[in-house]
Amino acid sequence: MGLGSNPWHPVPLGFVFRSRAKEEKAQSADKALVTDSTQTRHPEAPKGRPTPKRSEAQTTRRSVAQTPSTRKEAAKRGREERRAALEKQRQALAGGDERYLPARDKGPVRRFARNFIDSRFNIAEFFLPMAVVILVLSLVQVPALQNIALLLWLIVIVLIVLDSFVTAFRLRKQLAERFPDENKRGAVAYALMRSLQMRRLRLPKPQVKRGERP
């Protein structure tokens, strides 16, 4: 081979085929990117996910709009929610709607205990007016009336204790028969506390009449 002549180096066939394959893959990828970029996409749809339905988009917008943006708005919304919950409880206590009653008043056991107390006369519910009468008698500066007031006070206390004992015994027996598998813890004490209140002041409001079976 003479001077000044360029030697000829053969190119391997594998290199040629690899180059063509890489170019074809790159071209196909570019076409795919162009095709994807030309497709219309919903402005609220995240990339790589299908376009949401109109109802779903509206729900998302409402939830985002209802989310408080500042601590002041969150506190205000919390106060409004608590006020609404208290109003529902007040209406439930007046009407007997158990969906919004406080936890201590919910359940069939507590409802039966309330009805059991409201269906009968309880000596304890007259304690407040009798206490007023006894207090007035004790303030009169007459020894005989003061002695009568003291005697009445003792009689009232004994009658309330006896009536409460009988009420607790009967209620406990009724609960055991009607609700053998229910949690009855605290129901008797709950009923006795209700018997101490005057009927018109009880909450939840009585749902049965006197003499009516609970």
Side-chain angles (χ1 to χ4, degrees):
M1 187 177 294
L3 294 173
S5 62
N6 293 327
W8 178 78
H9 298 284
V11 180
L13 294 177
F15 176 77
V16 175
F17 289 126
R18 277 200 304 271
S19 300
R20 290 181 179 177
K22 290 181 179 179
E23 290 178 359
E24 291 177 357
K25 289 182 179 179
Q27 291 176 1
S28 61
D30 293 340
K31 290 180 180 180
L33 290 174
V34 172
T35 304
D36 292 341
S37 63
T38 56
Q39 290 180 351
T40 58
R41 184 173 61 86
H42 194 277
E44 296 181 357
K47 293 182 179 180
R49 297 182 181 178
T51 302
K53 297 180 181 179
R54 179 176 297 179
S55 59
E56 296 177 355
Q58 292 177 352
T59 303
T60 303
R61 284 196 297 269
R62 282 197 296 267
S63 62
V64 172
Q66 292 176 358
T67 303
S69 57
T70 62
R71 183 178 299 179
K72 185 176 181 180
E73 292 180 359
K76 181 180 179 181
R77 182 165 298 178
R79 289 194 299 269
E80 292 176 354
E81 290 176 355
R82 288 192 295 270
R83 191 180 299 112
L86 290 175
E87 178 62 22
K88 287 182 179 180
Q89 281 191 4
R90 188 188 66 79
Q91 294 177 359
L93 290 172
D97 189 353
E98 288 206 20
R99 293 178 299 173
Y100 305 108
L101 285 177
R104 67 181 180 85
D105 298 312
K106 285 185 176 180
V109 175
R110 298 299 174 98
R111 181 174 62 250
F112 179 82
R114 291 195 302 271
N115 293 340
F116 184 86
I117 294 298
D118 297 336
S119 63
R120 61 193 300 273
F121 283 95
N122 304 277
I123 297 177
E125 66 182 287
F126 302 106
F127 171 77
L128 185 59
M130 288 188 295
V132 173
V133 173
I134 293 172
L135 179 61
V136 171
L137 290 177
S138 63
L139 293 176
V140 178
Q141 298 299 322
V142 177
L145 293 180
Q146 291 180 348
N147 293 332
I148 292 174
L150 180 60
L151 181 61
L152 287 176
W153 182 255
L154 294 175
I155 292 174
V156 168
I157 295 298
V158 171
L159 290 177
I160 290 176
V161 171
L162 291 176
D163 185 61
S164 299
F165 179 80
V166 174
T167 300
F169 177 79
R170 291 179 178 177
L171 178 59
R172 189 176 288 109
K173 183 179 179 180
Q174 291 283 334
L175 290 175
E177 293 177 356
R178 292 174 178 256
F179 308 98
D181 300 327
E182 296 286 341
N183 182 14
K184 298 176 283 293
R185 183 177 181 181
V188 175
Y190 171 78
L192 293 179
M193 289 298 296
R194 186 176 178 86
S195 68
L196 291 172
Q197 301 171 347
M198 298 180 67
R199 182 181 173 87
R200 67 179 62 185
L201 301 179
R202 293 172 184 170
L203 292 174
K205 292 293 185 181
Q207 302 296 315
V208 296
K209 298 179 180 180
R210 294 189 190 274
E212 182 179 353
R213 295 188 61 182

